[in-house]
Amino acid sequence: MSDEQNPARGFVVAGVVPNSGEAVVATAADLAARFGTGLLCVSVEPDRLAFAEGIDGTVLSYPLDPDDYTETLSFDADLEARLRPIASARGVELRTSVVAGEPAQCLSHLAERLDAPLIVVGSREAGLRGSVREFFAGSVALHLSHRQHRPVVVVPLAPVPRSQTLPWEDEL
């Protein structure tokens, strides 16, 4: 069946952050090409609260820190410029979105609204900052796997060799 007879349906939803967007999007774009869908790359602002969403998907929000006030959110133009060729090389339509709130809940909500076949996220952030945040909030992938019904693909961003302890394990 040609592409004209079988147009792309829906979008694979990929949660992206500036430092690991390329690795997540490469996997998500491969999967979108296999599913015959587009790719929606979503950046989540967890330090903001959404108060309205326009019909065009524009999210109006306010920051938890009042000194950081801007009313609307926009996807990082530099990140989008790095991601677009990755999707294009795989023949996948790329769209971007920024949402505000708890990351797993936001990604789940978007995937539900779009009837996405799956959600793609990166593995946990390495380092002390990532470990502390994950300890208190839990991983986005873990929350997604328990709080919604779509498959979740986790892209390993910094695999730990078997000879090393995992970031959450205590050294004996």
Side-chain angles (χ1 to χ4, degrees):
M1 206 179 254
S2 73
D3 287 342
E4 292 175 44
Q5 294 171 323
N6 187 19
R9 296 183 189 270
F11 290 87
V12 166
V13 172
V16 296
V17 295
N19 296 336
S20 61
E22 291 91 338
V24 171
V25 169
T27 299
D30 286 339
L31 292 166
R34 289 181 187 206
F35 278 103
T37 68
L39 174 61
L40 176 64
C41 291
V42 181
S43 176
V44 181
E45 295 288 337
D47 297 332
R48 300 181 66 87
L49 296 174
F51 63 85
E53 182 176 348
I55 195 163
D56 65 350
T58 303
V59 175
L60 301 177
S61 66
Y62 57 88
L64 298 177
D65 178 358
D67 293 333
D68 188 28
Y69 184 79
T70 57
E71 194 168 283
T72 60
L73 301 172
S74 60
F75 197 88
D76 183 298
D78 292 333
L79 178 59
E80 184 174 352
R82 293 192 318 265
L83 302 180
R84 194 157 294 285
I86 297 169
S88 180
R90 290 156 175 85
V92 172
E93 175 188 358
L94 175 70
R95 292 191 186 171
T96 60
S97 179
V98 179
V99 293
E102 195 277 316
Q105 184 176 5
C106 290
L107 292 171
S108 178
H109 172 73
L110 273 174
E112 182 68 27
R113 194 171 77 194
L114 298 172
D115 195 23
L118 56 93
I119 301 170
V120 181
V121 294
S123 63
R124 64 180 312 285
E125 183 181 339
L128 179 61
R129 182 173 171 229
S131 298
V132 170
R133 182 172 55 238
E134 297 268 330
F135 176 77
F136 287 107
S139 83
V140 172
L142 184 64
H143 281 268
L144 285 168
S145 68
H146 290 281
R147 300 270 183 204
Q148 53 87 49
H149 67 277
R150 284 176 170 64
V152 178
V153 175
V154 182
V155 178
L157 298 177
V160 176
R162 288 198 181 273
S163 62
Q164 294 179 7
T165 59
L166 293 169
W168 60 85
E169 293 177 332
D170 291 331
E171 290 188 29
L172 299 176

